[in-house]
Amino acid sequence: DTIDRTQALMQRLRAELGDRDQPADAGERLEHARKSFMRWIVEVWQYELFSATETTQVDGRSVTVDHGVTVGKSLGMLVVLAIGYWASGWLARLLVAGIGRSMPLSPQLARVFTRWLNWILLLAVVLLVLRLARIPLTAFAFLGGALAIGFGFGAHNVIKNLTSGAIMLYERKIRVGDIVTV
C-alpha cells in the first residue's frame, strides 16, 4: 500500500513538473553543468584550511575568537600581497626620486635608500595583509624566536668587526698614508 501511494505521488509530481528533473536539451544540460561547477568552485573557495585562535582581554575577562582561514582568504591575501609588493617598490622609487631632487644623492646611496624603504614598506604590507586576514601575529611567535637566534649568530661577526674598527679609530694606530695588508 505504501509503495503504491509513493508511486502515485511520484507520477503526480512528474506530471506537475513536466519531467523537469532531467535536462531536456543540450542548452539545459550545459546550464546544469555550469551551475554544478559554480557550486563546486564556491565549496572549494570556502573550504577552511585551518583555524587561527585569538585571545584578548576585555574588562578583565579573557575572550577567545576563532578565525577560519579559507582558500578564498589565502588567495585574496596572495593577490593583495602581490599588489602591495609592486606598490611598495614603486612608492620607494618615487620617494627616493623626490628626495634626490631636493638633495643630491649618489646613485649607490639612492639604491640603498630605495632598498631599505622598499623593505620597510613591504613589512607594512605583510602586517596589513595578516591583519586583513585576521591572522594574529602570535601564530608566528616560534618563527620570531628562530629568526632572532639566526640574526644573533649572523650579527656576531658584524658587531665584532664594528667594535674592532671603533677601537682602532679611537687608538689611532692607523693613520693616513699607512699601508695596510689584508
Side-chain angles (χ1 to χ4, degrees):
D1 188 43
T2 307
I3 292 174
D4 291 337
R5 280 188 291 173
T6 305
Q7 286 177 344
L9 180 64
M10 291 297 291
Q11 287 174 353
R12 196 170 47 212
L13 284 174
R14 282 194 183 114
E16 288 177 6
L17 293 175
D19 288 333
R20 296 295 291 174
D21 55 343
Q22 294 293 326
D25 61 353
E28 286 184 21
R29 283 191 209 123
L30 187 62
E31 182 65 21
H32 180 68
R34 185 190 69 77
K35 286 181 181 178
S36 297
F37 180 71
M38 291 306 292
R39 276 193 305 268
W40 180 79
I41 291 291
V42 168
E43 286 178 16
V44 169
W45 188 261
Q46 294 175 349
Y47 181 75
E48 186 172 321
L49 297 172
F50 62 91
S51 179
T53 303
E54 185 177 11
T55 304
T56 57
Q57 294 288 334
V58 177
D59 295 331
R61 294 185 341 200
S62 181
V63 177
T64 303
V65 179
D66 284 338
H67 300 288
V69 178
T70 63
V71 172
K73 281 185 183 179
S74 299
L75 291 176
M77 279 183 5
L78 290 175
V79 168
V80 171
L81 190 62
I83 292 170
Y85 178 77
W86 172 80
S88 67
W90 176 77
L91 188 60
R93 287 189 298 274
L94 186 71
L95 289 173
V96 170
I99 292 171
R101 280 189 290 255
S102 63
M103 65 175 63
L105 291 176
S106 68
Q108 294 83 9
L109 188 60
R111 193 174 310 128
V112 169
F113 278 155
T114 303
R115 284 184 185 161
W116 275 96
L117 194 56
N118 190 17
W119 279 107
I120 291 169
L121 291 172
L122 196 56
L123 178 66
V125 166
V126 167
L127 291 176
L128 176 73
V129 165
L130 289 175
R131 186 69 188 154
L132 288 175
R134 292 184 177 175
I135 297 175
L137 291 178
T138 56
F140 302 104
F142 71 93
L143 194 65
L147 188 64
I149 290 171
F151 182 75
F153 282 127
H156 175 71
N157 282 336
V158 173
I159 292 172
K160 182 175 67 172
N161 290 338
L162 183 67
T163 306
S164 299
I167 290 171
M168 289 171 60
L169 285 173
Y170 178 72
E171 291 180 353
R172 296 185 182 200
K173 288 187 176 187
I174 298 177
R175 295 195 174 107
V176 175
D178 290 349
I179 298 175
V180 178
T181 304
V182 179

